[in-house]
Amino acid sequence: MEFLRDLFQFLKERKKWWLMPIIIVLLIIGAILIFGGGSAVAPFIYTLF
């Protein structure tokens, strides 16, 4: 959790708020690949990419 705190402090200090949507999208894509990789939905998820 220290990494997330450091990342948030970096964004706050450097005024790099435009990076937040990119980070959120990458986290969502990662979660979809992790949770969908072992299920019956996996073939449909991989056709999106």
Side-chain angles (χ1 to χ4, degrees), residues 1-41:
M1 294 312 249
E2 185 178 340
F3 171 74
L4 294 175
R5 185 176 36 162
D6 289 342
L7 180 63
F8 184 72
Q9 285 178 343
F10 170 78
L11 293 173
K12 192 167 98 173
E13 288 176 10
R14 305 276 189 211
K15 306 283 193 265
K16 301 285 185 185
W17 294 113
W18 56 270
L19 286 173
M20 192 60 77
I22 297 170
I23 294 170
I24 291 171
V25 168
L26 288 175
L27 288 174
I28 291 171
I29 290 172
I32 288 173
L33 290 176
I34 288 172
F35 292 124
S39 69
V41 187

